[in-house]
Amino acid sequence: MTKLNLKLIALTALVLSVTSSVFAQPNTTLALEDSNQQVIDLSGMRWRFKMMAPGEGVKKGLHKLPAEDIETLVWNNAKVPGDVYTDLWKVGIIEDPHFGRNSVKAQWVQQYEWWYALQFSVTEDVENQLVDLVFEGVDYACEVWLNGHYLGKHEGVFSKFSFDVANFLRIHKYDFLKGRNMLVVKLDTPPQVNAFVAGKKTPWFGDYWRDITPIGIVRPVKLVRTGKIRFKDVYANNTINKDGSADVNLEITVENTNKVAKEFSFEAALNGKNFKMKEQKVSFKKTIQPGTHKVIQKIHLKEAKLWWPWDLGDQNLYTAKIAVKDGKLNQDVNETTFGIREVTSKWNPGFVKDVDVTFPRSTYINGKFHFIRSACWGGPPNIFVGRTETSDYKELIRLAKEMNMNNIRIFGWHPPEVPEFYQYCDEMGMTVWQDMIPLGTGNIPSDEKNLAEIFNEGVKVVVERRNHPSLIMMEGGEEMMFRTRDPKFGREFLERLGDSLQAYVDLPYVPDSPMTDHVGQQAGFKPKEAVHALRYFYDMGKWLHEDWYQTKADGYPIVPEFAITSVPSVESLKKFIPEEELWTPGLSWGHHWADLTRLRMQNWDVFGSEMKGSLEEFVNATQDAQGIIFQNGIEHFRRDKPSLSGIALCHYITYGPDMKWAIVDNYRKPKNSYYFVQKAYQPLLVNFEFKKRRWDTKEPFVGNIWVINDYYKSYEDCTVKFEMKDDSGKVIANKTFSIDKIEENSAKSFFPINEKVLKSVKSKFFVNLELTDKSGKVISKNDYFFLIGDQKEATKHFNAWKEERLKNENENGGYGSYYHFFKDFTGEDGQRYESQTQIPRASGF
């Protein structure tokens, strides 16, 4: 038997071995060591790249570069997976696009096509074998040549594509020149109108990014060799039975490239990936006609080990190893990791079907209610994928779990994630609620050809990810109904997309969120479908935050977005803001989406002060304000359980260093807000219900003590300690309450509070709660602070500030423009921007 042995040969004659990842392993029951399949990863730092004006690369013959030549020696170095901007930055052609306002200096990049090349050598024959060149993801459109042979063109970031290259490979066992190959990839100029490529490329706009469009070979490139029959897909579609057993239906898609039908032998084995079990094996034979066909084989597990979210149970994972043989020789092998779990949805109590809502919004995992404590992912970890490491995913998901999240929402402004993201979610018990492809716009092409391409992209995305038990809920769009010019068409499109996705995986699907705007209503959706809890921020000044969520964000079954902003730490700021612009805020703050007026207002709402005495004070206050507003809102929403079934904050991270939504910044550093959310997302949570944060010293302080329990475990003979302190730290109230039983999966008000103790408080006071079990162990803690003040007068002041904010925004650029923060740019008060030696400073500081 021959094996494909690829070696990359540097142009200096230094031989660099390509690391091969072969599925074959010794001492396995499937004898995988004699498999024909071999995967050679062509990723890494050995690529080179070059800039060309559109259309000029082909005219000048770059696609016909001789494979033996050394011309690419002087091209620029590149990394795959990666992106053009990172490669340009590393080589010194552009300045770091994340630093200061450098991104606007890089806008020229998207006006050119980029040529990537890789030279490698093949030393052994591949006769009677299939060799595919596989691209796992290119952003956005590309054309590919191997040794001058045109292989084809592809558009769409999220779908894999491949070319049969066995007949185009140059092979020689000893003469490296005769065995040298030249792979050339032309990246077209990226799209500039998102509506034309919606669902096939990540939107590159929104209020956390400026106008440069990502481009690059963003996922690995591989050479895959098999025999004449090969696996195209393996889906472990499982069913849980009432007796605790499970049936794993291995849906095996194979391609027989022979010209005649042949009988092949299949061998499959199931094992526990992270637990011990007796191996389950099955062998069978099937006659496969030429072409692609599906084979289904059921494996019965008498005692199934289920996969659960981390707060409901264990994360049991299985592996399925499958081989297909022609006689005694393996033609291909596949190893798939999966989990056994059942996902269903139910109607939220208190909402009437087809009157209030159109869709059930409560998620059940293996029959248990899964209250979703989530945040929108906001990723990838970096919009320039060349700056992201796999370890970033593991660290960010670990931090999310430690913040007590049990779900991550990938929403429609961001892409489906890399395999490692779902792998870590599987292993850590983090569920995923996903808009399967990014449709963060309402306007898409209406012709059937383009619609078919969008549907096809979505299907490829879900097929690649459906074995991951962490994927539990699918959504179609993200605020599509806000923007679509044709509500009826928009709804029909989203429903057709759902039909396409659910044909390949049995998971709950919702067309869009929130669907409660006037366009969504025109499309026939109902008034209580969901709420995007964003209006406090966008209408800043209309309500104090606790008045807002009690009046305008209340009474919905789910909260897909809840957004508050903050500024990263001073340590992080120094990595992307020039030193001379750090304080008082300079132009780079605005460029990185610091809404300076709203940040000041947000601080004032929470602290009664804008907190701008120093850079450190202001930064920390924005983070604390974000956290406190999140905490108060989360607890308010959670008290509506089970009528309300989930919350997703907006966002957990963002894909660039900015001053907007993230709880963990672009350098993977948690903000102060992280720890407030960590408290509010405790699965077992003692919390305080209050109606306002500003109190008169003459009135009693009133509220209610609640306990929310998301565990399926009850607690008996518990104690709650309630304590109030004034601004000097003196205890002004202290009470202890007994709870006979905290029911599993519950939310309940236990004790009213009415304390007439505020007369000694000067400006603020504090409330501490502690919940202990019958052994005295603390099982939940919480704390708050309140202000002495007049709620009505504070609201009046906030309302007036809103009018001032709107006037300044509308007259000087509108939302999205940061010029209105800088009088040098607007010309207010006679100020002018006349020289680059000027360093404009934000007004209001």
Side-chain angles (χ1 to χ4, degrees):
M1 181 191 71
T2 62
K3 290 187 176 179
L4 178 63
N5 181 22
L6 293 175
K7 296 180 180 178
L8 293 179
I9 302 181
L11 300 178
T12 59
L14 174 66
V15 178
L16 301 173
S17 298
V18 173
T19 301
S20 61
S21 175
V22 184
F23 280 113
Q25 298 180 23
N27 304 319
T28 66
T29 58
L30 300 180
L32 300 182
E33 66 273 12
D34 65 353
S35 169
N36 270 9
Q37 193 212 50
Q38 193 171 17
V39 178
I40 312 296
D41 196 339
L42 299 180
S43 306
M45 293 293 299
R46 302 176 183 95
W47 289 73
R48 305 295 176 108
F49 81 115
K50 186 181 185 72
M51 177 184 81
M52 295 298 293
E56 291 299 308
V58 169
K59 288 181 182 179
K60 296 188 183 299
L62 294 190
H63 59 303
K64 294 182 179 180
L65 276 168
E68 306 90 343
D69 213 336
I70 64 168
E71 183 171 339
T72 57
L73 176 65
V74 296
W75 288 20
N76 297 307
N77 289 295
K79 180 184 177 183
V80 170
D83 68 277
V84 172
Y85 296 95
T86 300
D87 290 335
L88 290 170
W89 169 51
K90 285 184 175 180
V91 83
I93 296 173
I94 64 173
E95 299 174 85
D96 180 3
H98 282 329
F99 188 79
R101 297 195 292 166
N102 287 344
S103 65
V104 297
K105 301 177 185 178
Q107 290 184 358
W108 62 268
V109 173
Q110 57 204 346
Q111 308 305 322
Y112 290 84
E113 61 186 30
W114 298 92
W115 288 74
Y116 279 69
L118 175 71
Q119 285 180 290
F120 59 91
S121 292
V122 179
T123 61
E124 297 193 18
D125 193 15
V126 295
E127 186 178 358
N128 294 320
Q129 296 163 27
L130 302 173
V131 182
D132 274 1
L133 176 64
V134 180
F135 290 81
E136 295 192 358
V138 174
D139 189 359
Y140 162 78
C142 69
E143 293 184 86
V144 184
W145 292 262
L146 180 64
N147 299 325
H149 298 280
Y150 181 69
L151 300 181
K153 180 179 176 68
H154 180 79
E155 292 187 15
V157 184
F158 314 121
S159 52
K160 295 181 181 180
F161 58 99
S162 63
F163 307 103
D164 181 357
V165 297
N167 293 331
F168 303 130
L169 288 171
R170 292 162 48 92
I171 304 169
H172 200 280
K173 192 168 186 178
Y174 305 111
D175 189 331
F176 75 91
L177 286 178
K178 293 181 180 178
R180 179 170 289 174
N181 294 264
M182 177 72 77
L183 173 61
V184 177
V185 181
K186 175 177 71 75
L187 301 180
D188 292 341
T189 59
Q192 295 300 308
V193 179
N194 181 72
F196 300 157
V197 294
K200 298 184 291 181
K201 180 174 172 61
T202 305
W204 55 92
F205 54 91
D207 50 358
Y208 33 73
W209 190 240
R210 296 296 176 183
D211 186 27
I212 58 175
T213 312
I215 178 175
I217 302 174
V218 294
R219 290 188 62 188
V221 180
K222 298 175 180 179
L223 276 169
V224 179
R225 189 202 62 183
T226 66
K228 291 292 187 178
I229 184 169
R230 56 188 173 183
F231 295 111
K232 302 296 285 184
D233 182 63
V234 175
Y235 176 32
N237 190 5
N238 50 76
T239 304
I240 302 171
N241 303 314
K242 291 182 179 179
D243 62 1
S245 66
D247 294 312
V248 179
N249 293 299
L250 294 175
E251 298 182 8
I252 305 164
T253 304
V254 293
E255 181 186 18
N256 178 12
T257 65
N258 294 288
K259 295 182 179 179
V260 296
K262 293 189 70 173
E263 184 181 70
F264 296 97
S265 300
F266 292 82
E267 296 178 356
L270 291 189
N271 279 287
K273 183 177 178 67
N274 55 2
F275 65 92
K276 292 183 179 180
M277 63 169 281
K278 183 179 179 181
E279 185 176 64
Q280 299 256 148
K281 296 183 289 185
V282 63
S283 300
F284 57 97
K285 294 183 178 181
K286 288 283 185 180
T287 298
I288 307 297
Q289 297 291 328
T292 301
H293 304 277
K294 183 186 289 186
V295 176
I296 299 177
Q297 178 64 40
K298 183 171 76 173
I299 300 179
H300 183 72
L301 295 173
K302 188 175 181 180
E303 294 181 358
K305 293 274 192 178
L306 303 185
W307 184 92
W308 295 92
W310 67 263
D311 52 351
L312 294 183
D314 296 327
Q315 291 74 62
N316 297 301
L317 296 169
Y318 290 83
T319 59
K321 296 180 181 178
I322 310 169
V324 57
K325 293 185 176 184
D326 184 358
K328 294 183 178 180
L329 182 64
N330 280 1
Q331 295 291 297
D332 199 3
V333 293
N334 178 280
E335 182 172 336
T336 297
T337 299
F338 67 97
I340 296 175
R341 58 95 179 92
E342 180 184 62
V343 185
T344 54
S345 58
K346 295 184 181 180
W347 297 93
N348 293 46
F351 296 91
V352 180
K353 177 183 176 182
D354 294 330
V355 175
D356 299 319
V357 292
T358 314
F359 309 95
R361 296 310 300 261
S362 292
T363 302
Y364 286 72
I365 311 290
N366 305 325
K368 290 185 178 180
F369 178 45
H370 173 49
F371 186 90
I372 290 173
R373 304 187 304 274
S374 185
C376 296
W377 176 238
N382 203 302
I383 194 169
F384 302 127
V385 296
R387 298 171 77 153
T388 296
E389 301 294 336
T390 302
S391 59
D392 296 341
Y393 285 98
K394 190 170 187 177
E395 173 66 6
L396 288 169
I397 295 168
R398 181 192 69 80
L399 284 170
K401 182 177 178 179
E402 289 191 1
M403 197 175 69
N404 288 316
M405 286 168 56
N406 60 11
N407 178 274
I408 293 172
R409 181 184 176 213
I410 298 180
F411 81 148
W413 293 95
H414 299 285
E417 269 298 356
V418 298
E420 291 83 0
F421 169 87
Y422 301 92
Q423 173 195 333
Y424 297 139
C425 286
D426 292 344
E427 294 170 354
M428 297 187 205
M430 187 75 65
T431 62
V432 179
W433 159 13
Q434 182 167 336
D435 294 18
M436 292 312 301
I437 50 177
L439 288 165
T441 178
N443 295 310
I444 56 176
S446 58
D447 61 286
E448 285 299 317
K449 177 180 179 297
N450 275 293
L451 292 180
E453 290 177 0
I454 297 173
F455 298 148
N456 187 52
E457 198 85 353
V459 165
K460 288 182 177 180
V461 167
V462 78
V463 165
E464 184 180 355
R465 292 157 179 81
R466 61 184 174 175
N467 278 315
H468 292 281
S470 53
L471 180 61
I472 62 155
M473 179 164 49
M474 302 185 296
E475 199 158 288
E478 162 64 22
E479 299 177 350
M480 273 196 68
M481 291 299 160
F482 281 1
R483 297 169 178 83
T484 183
R485 65 173 66 94
D486 185 341
K488 184 175 183 294
F489 167 76
R491 176 170 182 164
E492 289 175 352
F493 162 76
L494 291 168
E495 289 173 345
R496 289 176 64 188
L497 174 62
D499 291 341
S500 299
L501 298 175
Q502 289 185 309
Y504 290 87
V505 63
D506 183 17
L507 287 175
Y509 173 83
V510 177
D512 195 17
S513 68
M515 303 179 290
T516 49
D517 59 289
H518 74 283
V519 183
Q521 300 295 290
Q522 291 172 21
F525 295 116
K526 305 306 177 185
K528 289 290 183 179
E529 304 283 6
V531 61
H532 279 194
L534 310 175
R535 296 323 310 173
Y536 168 77
F537 175 81
Y538 287 114
D539 290 338
M540 183 75 71
K542 190 170 183 179
W543 314 271
L544 300 175
H545 75 266
E546 67 270 28
D547 293 330
W548 156 75
Y549 61 64
Q550 291 178 85
T551 57
K552 297 298 181 182
D554 212 13
Y556 294 87
I558 198 164
V559 183
E561 286 187 38
F562 177 11
I564 303 294
T565 65
S566 66
V567 178
S569 69
V570 173
E571 176 189 355
S572 293
L573 281 177
K574 290 178 178 179
K575 295 180 180 180
F576 68 98
I577 301 296
E579 183 178 1
E580 66 273 14
E581 295 186 38
L582 277 171
W583 192 255
T584 303
L587 294 168
S588 293
W589 284 62
H591 180 77
H592 287 270
W593 286 96
D595 195 309
L596 293 164
T597 303
R598 285 177 170 84
L599 288 168
R600 290 163 47 215
M601 295 175 73
Q602 199 169 281
N603 283 355
W604 184 87
D605 182 4
V606 171
F607 297 103
S609 164
E610 296 178 40
M611 305 294 283
K612 55 188 184 184
S614 68
L615 173 62
E616 290 77 8
E617 181 186 64
F618 184 73
V619 165
N620 289 332
T622 68
Q623 295 186 12
D624 288 341
Q626 181 187 43
I628 288 167
I629 296 170
F630 271 150
Q631 177 191 3
N632 294 340
I634 288 168
E635 293 181 5
H636 170 80
F637 291 132
R638 288 185 70 185
R639 287 191 287 268
D640 280 345
K641 170 185 173 174
S643 293
L644 185 134
S645 54
I647 309 160
L649 307 180
C650 183
H651 303 316
Y652 174 55
I653 62 173
T654 48
Y655 54 39
D658 65 7
M659 311 206 198
K660 208 71 173 184
W661 310 115
I663 300 169
V664 174
D665 72 27
N666 198 240
Y667 306 101
R668 298 167 300 284
K669 181 179 176 61
K671 298 178 180 178
N672 298 349
S673 52
Y674 176 96
Y675 303 101
F676 289 93
V677 175
Q678 187 179 56
K679 283 188 295 186
Y681 267 170
Q682 293 174 82
L684 179 65
L685 174 70
V686 60
N687 63 101
F688 191 73
E689 178 191 17
F690 56 88
K691 299 300 182 185
K692 62 179 184 175
R693 291 188 65 251
R694 286 167 169 80
W695 298 82
D696 190 284
T697 55
K698 297 178 182 179
E699 63 182 332
F701 176 67
V702 297
N704 293 282
I705 296 174
W706 284 65
V707 177
I708 299 163
N709 184 11
D710 287 349
Y711 289 126
Y712 272 78
K713 173 186 176 182
S714 61
Y715 296 82
E716 297 182 353
D717 302 324
C718 296
T719 301
V720 174
K721 294 180 181 178
F722 169 83
E723 180 184 72
M724 293 177 65
K725 292 183 177 181
D726 65 17
D727 26 20
S728 68
K730 178 184 176 183
V731 175
I732 55 177
N734 191 355
K735 289 188 174 182
T736 300
F737 304 92
S738 297
I739 300 178
D740 293 335
K741 186 174 184 179
I742 301 170
E743 299 287 349
E744 66 178 26
N745 183 33
S746 62
K748 184 178 178 180
S749 175
F750 281 94
F751 310 107
I753 294 294
N754 190 317
E755 298 293 326
K756 299 179 180 180
V757 294
L758 298 181
K759 59 184 179 181
S760 65
V761 180
K762 295 180 180 178
S763 59
K764 67 174 65 172
F765 61 98
F766 304 86
V767 169
N768 299 313
L769 297 174
E770 187 176 88
L771 175 66
T772 55
D773 65 14
K774 58 185 176 184
S775 70
K777 178 183 176 182
V778 177
I779 53 178
S780 181
K781 294 178 72 173
N782 214 334
D783 58 86
Y784 311 84
F785 82 86
F786 299 88
L787 303 175
I788 297 300
D790 187 313
Q791 191 86 350
K792 290 183 179 179
E793 285 301 313
T795 300
K796 185 178 178 181
H797 173 76
F798 218 37
N799 292 164
W801 203 349
K802 176 194 172 185
E803 297 307 313
E804 178 186 333
R805 174 184 63 78
L806 286 173
K807 181 177 184 296
N808 194 29
E809 284 180 13
N810 292 335
E811 291 181 357
N812 294 292
Y815 183 76
S817 168
Y818 58 88
Y819 284 11
H820 64 267
F821 301 127
F822 300 93
K823 292 183 178 181
D824 307 53
F825 273 37
T826 63
E828 291 179 85
D829 300 336
Q831 296 188 34
R832 297 170 63 182
Y833 188 61
E834 295 185 301
S835 169
Q836 195 161 337
T837 62
Q838 290 175 244
I839 301 176
R841 303 295 182 183
S843 58
F845 287 84

